[in-house]
Every structure is written in structure tokens, then in C-alpha cells.
Amino acid sequence: NAFSIGIELDNAGLLQKRNSGYYTHFGKKVNDNNVVLKTNSVPAPKDGEVLLRTIYLSLDPYMRGRMSDAESYADPVKIGDVMVGATVCQVEQSNHPDYQKGEWVLAYTGWQEYAISDTEGLMKLGKNPENPSYALGIMGMPGFTAYMGLLDIGEPKQGETVVVAAATGPVGATVGQIAKLKGCKVVGVAGGKEKCQHAVKNLGFDACIDHKANDFAEQLSAACNNGIDVYYENVGGHVFDAVLPLLNTKARVPLCGLVSQYNATELPPGPDRLSMLMGQILTKRIKMQGFIIFDDYAHRYDEFAKDMQAWLSEGKVKYKEHLEADFENTLNAFNAMLNGENFGKTVVQVQQPI
């Protein structure tokens, strides 16, 4: 699995780049035995196609589900295929009249350095975007997920209490800041003192509780002295266990993800608490709704983009990236993100810009 970008001479004496990418062969645990780095020749674009040079690769929790053959909302990546993922690329070579060399685009070309595209599904970002990687985070899927899940499903009202887990991640941090803009009390949940301090001091949360604390449930209850009206769920596990008894009548729970469970291969041990959960949903008339952002809300992206661009330009929403500068370390960065070791939106810089 040694990483290298080979360069060789072709028959014409021209330098020919090599294309490295991660290919899948999945097992129960994601490691370099089942996600391997291979090197192939870079293909040439045909008429109507472009060759894309990957600059930034997004790493997101949903990818773990694509590495499993368990039934889900999207098909798993086939063994031997390039691992999927959103990317910000530059056009390296163009045989398409609408695309010029050097243009930036948002694509979905996965864990590889180069890709051929017929341009379908590409979103132009311009020739000199100020922060091109933001298209993978605050202006992309994570920001959009936070916005629609909170505002459309969570429906926060001024004075209500909103709790969000993974509070310094790209979704959670955005949820909390939007909730503050809507006049809510915001309590975050994060792993470690540094992340909790960041949520309060830099993001403006009213409180943030360390889920690693032995008295986590007690601290959360004290911070939510009037109960919880909106819980934005993206973690599950013992965090939800502490949240459930604090949910108020007619609370709303946008269900975005369950990152604590993504590596699980069986149900956790313990008593069956499903009837207790259903009873709480019934008696408190709790609304709990899952959603898939682009399946459910693609038609509302412009609405989100208008609001988010305004909030960013006015300094009302802050954004933090966790940048991995070594493509060879992508797998380690991915597992670190699943374990909560990232601080902000995880992005890999695959190559330098043209």
C-alpha cells in the first residue's frame, strides 16, 4: 500500500501523470486491508468530456454506510470500485465547450486524484473562488443538512431549548448557530473540554456538555432546566439515552445520523427499550423524522444558499475546517472522524491547485 505518484515517459516523450485512488474491498472494520490505494494511468477525456484534478475531498460519516451491504437509502460501493465522495476539483483538460482549464467545480468523483466527467452533475464554482473547500462543508451537504433538518423538521421557536450532539462538527456547529439566530437557548454535546469551550466561546452556544464525563446525564439535565424542545440527532448511543427523558411534550427530533453506531455489526447488549421509546413518543407526542438531504430537499438548495451566504458575510455563522494535507493518510483521517477525533469539517487536500 505504499503511496506514490509515478511519472513515466510515453511514446511521444511527454510526461504522463499517474492517477492514485482508494478502492474498496470491505470487511467489518475499515482498514488498509479492505480500502487499498492503487495507481493507474490517467485517462484522456473524449469529446464532450473533461479531466478533473481533485483538489479537496470531503470525508463524511455517511460514507461508512456505503461500505456496508446492509440495506440502506443508497446502494453500497461495489467491491473493487473507487470509494465515493464529494470533491472540489479543477478542470485539468477540457474537450467540452462550456469548461475551460483551471475552472473550479463541485463534483462527486470520490477518493481519487483524477477523474473523467461528461460534466453531468458538475456545479461550477468559478475561476477564483475565495474558499473553494467551503463547497464541501458550510455551503455544501453538511451546511444544507443542518439548515433544512433544523428549520423544516425541528421548527425552532424563540425561547425554546435546542440540543445538538457532535456540536463542533460541520453539521452540529451550524445547527447550533442557526438556532441562536432564531432566538433559542442552545446546548451542545461534544467530546472533550477543548471542543466544548470552542462551542461556547467561538460559536455562541449557551452551554456545551462533555459526553465523556462520568456525570454527563446529570450535567445535561442541569443545563436543560426547562427540558428539550428540539434535539438534532446525529450521534445516537448514550447521548440519546440522556436526552430522551428530557424531551418536552411536542418536542421535535430531526434524525440526521447515528455515527456512534456506524461500525456496529449487531445490536448492543441490554434490555429491549423499544417499547419505552415508543411510549415516550406517544405520550409526549414527539415528532421524530429522518431525512436524506438531497433526496428530500434538493429543490430548496437556493433558499439555503441565499441565507447561508448572507450569514457568513455578516459574520453571524462561523465555520471551522479540519484539513488533512496528505492524501495517503485519507483512511486514518476517515476513521479519526468516525471516532470524533476531528475538530471541524474533515477535508483532505488531495493535490495542490493548478
Side-chain angles (χ1 to χ4, degrees), residues 265-278:
T265 57
E266 58 187 17
L267 292 174
D272 180 359
R273 293 176 294 168
L274 181 59
S275 59
M276 181 269 287
L277 170 62
M278 299 300 286

Side-chain angles (χ1 to χ4, degrees), residues 2 12 30 44 47 52 76 103-104 142 214 241 279-281 283 302 316:
V30 183
D47 287 344
L52 298 178
E103 279 192 275
W104 291 82
N214 292 331
D241 290 343
Q280 289 280 303
I281 292 173
T283 59
D302 289 346
K316 293 180 178 179

Side-chain angles (χ1 to χ4, degrees), residues 259-314:
V259 70
S260 71
Q261 309 301 308
Y262 286 166
N263 278 326
T265 57
E266 58 187 17
L267 292 174
D272 180 359
R273 293 176 294 168
L274 181 59
S275 59
M276 181 269 287
L277 170 62
M278 299 300 286
Q280 289 280 303
I281 292 173
L282 171 62
T283 59
K284 292 185 176 181
R285 286 90 80 197
I286 295 166
K287 180 176 80 170
M288 183 178 293
Q289 181 178 333
F291 66 104
I292 307 301
I293 186 61
F294 284 107
D295 287 1
D296 296 327
Y297 293 108
H299 62 289
R300 296 182 64 179
Y301 178 83
D302 289 346
E303 171 191 340
F304 152 74
K306 180 181 178 181
D307 283 347
M308 187 56 68
Q309 285 170 347
W311 290 334
L312 286 170
S313 65
E314 295 166 6

